[in-house]
Amino acid sequence: STMTGSANSYGLYLDGASSNTIAQSFAGGQSGGRLDNSRYNLIDRSTMTGTYGGGLFLNSASSNTITQSYFYSPEVYGLYLGQSHDNVITNSVMLGGSNATSLTYQVGAYLYNANDNTITSSILSDTNDCGADLGQGVCGAGLYAAQSKGLSL
């Protein structure tokens, strides 16, 4: 399946959704995909890209499984987990920041207050040479975790 959003939206947006499967799909828009308050979903062999926002944004989305997928944004993070716990990500690629115009969240994966997540057999990379970080954000990391605990790599 191909899901595309307008200039100010997501290709895929699940809000309060549980037990769904997104397989062999593409989602693109300002941000590729977003899961809010969503649990027990499977994203498998899918690609999500954002033109300005992130590849995939999880907010209060816990106990999801992501396998063999690709998340990319030329501006910010490939994958964001905010207040999202107990997610499992395997055999996936998360890239961020190759054409970034600011020094804000140019990382492969950004975790904020995200506990007990597992990321294995995956590639996490910032694709931009950020230069000096002037305190404007996070730049130049494959993985950045803030106020998070129990991360398994």
Side-chain angles (χ1 to χ4, degrees), residues 20-42:
N20 296 289
T21 298
I22 295 96
Q24 297 181 357
S25 296
F26 171 82
Q30 178 178 343
S31 293
R34 180 175 179 139
L35 278 65
D36 281 336
N37 304 304
S38 297
R39 300 172 57 92
Y40 308 114
N41 296 292
L42 170 64

Side-chain angles (χ1 to χ4, degrees), residues 101-143:
T101 56
S102 67
L103 295 176
T104 306
Y105 310 122
Q106 297 172 21
V107 297
Y110 178 38
L111 282 63
Y112 180 77
N113 190 19
N115 300 326
D116 303 314
N117 292 290
T118 300
I119 302 173
T120 58
S121 301
S122 296
I123 297 170
L124 300 91
S125 180
D126 161 42
T127 59
N128 190 22
D129 179 10
C130 299
D133 184 343
L134 303 176
Q136 298 172 357
V138 178
C139 184
L143 170 68

